[in-house]
Amino acid sequence: MTQETKQADLLQEYIQEILSIAEFAKETNANYSHLEELDKLITANEATLNKQFIKVPFTKFRVLDDTGILKPKVPGLLEENKQLVDEYNQLLEKTKTNYDIIKRKERTLGQKMQTLTDYPEIIRVGSAIVESIDNNQI
């Protein structure tokens, strides 16, 4: 295998790695957006749920209502809140995993970059892409 063929193969791997990182970055950014939406839904749901309870004066306690019976909306709100929190936790875990994969791929990319010293333009472009991924701009 000639030096040019080896460099071309390394360049191809480098480009594939950049594309792979960009895909994970897009998915991770979409997950962050969805996490923010879920957080707003959970907050709104909890506010509605809190309105269903009666606050005991001069304490931090709340009761269901004067007769101790659940108001009609409470079971539905509790179930909805449970589902939203479960979805949020699963998505958060997936997002953390994607972020770890991106960091690992960036390290691999850095190692490959060291072998591509004959292609300074590609290194500059790749570095800019990795930097924009770090700044969540992709």
Side-chain angles (χ1 to χ4, degrees):
M1 182 180 286
T2 66
Q3 183 67 14
E4 279 185 16
T5 307
K6 185 177 179 181
Q7 288 287 343
D9 290 343
L10 286 173
L11 181 60
Q12 184 66 29
E13 287 178 27
Y14 179 77
I15 291 169
Q16 291 301 322
E17 202 71 33
I18 288 174
L19 293 174
S20 174
I21 289 172
E23 279 298 313
F24 275 104
K26 286 179 184 177
E27 182 180 344
T28 303
N29 284 341
N31 288 349
Y32 279 132
S33 298
H34 192 63
L35 282 171
E36 289 173 354
E37 291 171 14
L38 285 174
D39 189 42
K40 288 177 185 175
L41 287 172
I42 290 169
T43 303
N45 190 351
E46 287 176 350
T48 305
L49 189 59
N50 283 334
K51 289 178 185 176
Q52 300 298 311
F53 297 124
I54 297 171
K55 185 167 180 347
V56 177
F58 308 110
T59 69
K60 61 180 179 178
F61 300 110
R62 294 181 181 272
V63 294
L64 300 177
D65 69 9
D66 294 334
T67 61
I69 298 172
L70 287 174
K71 291 185 179 180
K73 287 185 175 180
V74 172
L77 288 170
L78 287 171
E79 182 61 31
E80 182 182 347
N81 202 40
K82 178 187 175 298
Q83 290 172 352
L84 288 172
V85 170
D86 286 346
E87 183 181 351
Y88 182 92
N89 289 339
Q90 290 171 355
L91 190 59
L92 183 63
E93 193 62 38
K94 184 178 179 182
T95 303
K96 286 179 182 178
T97 302
N98 280 0
Y99 184 75
D100 292 341
I101 290 171
I102 289 171
K103 286 300 180 188
R104 194 172 4 169
K105 286 181 174 285
E106 284 179 346
R107 282 194 298 275
T108 303
L109 191 62
Q111 293 167 353
K112 289 179 182 177
M113 270 179 37
Q114 292 175 356
T115 61
L116 291 172
T117 55
D118 294 341
Y119 300 93
E121 182 64 25
I122 297 298
I123 293 172
R124 187 183 63 72
V125 170
S127 297
I129 291 172
V130 170
E131 185 177 319
S132 67
I133 290 170
D134 282 342
N135 296 332
N136 292 326
Q137 294 176 355
I138 288 185

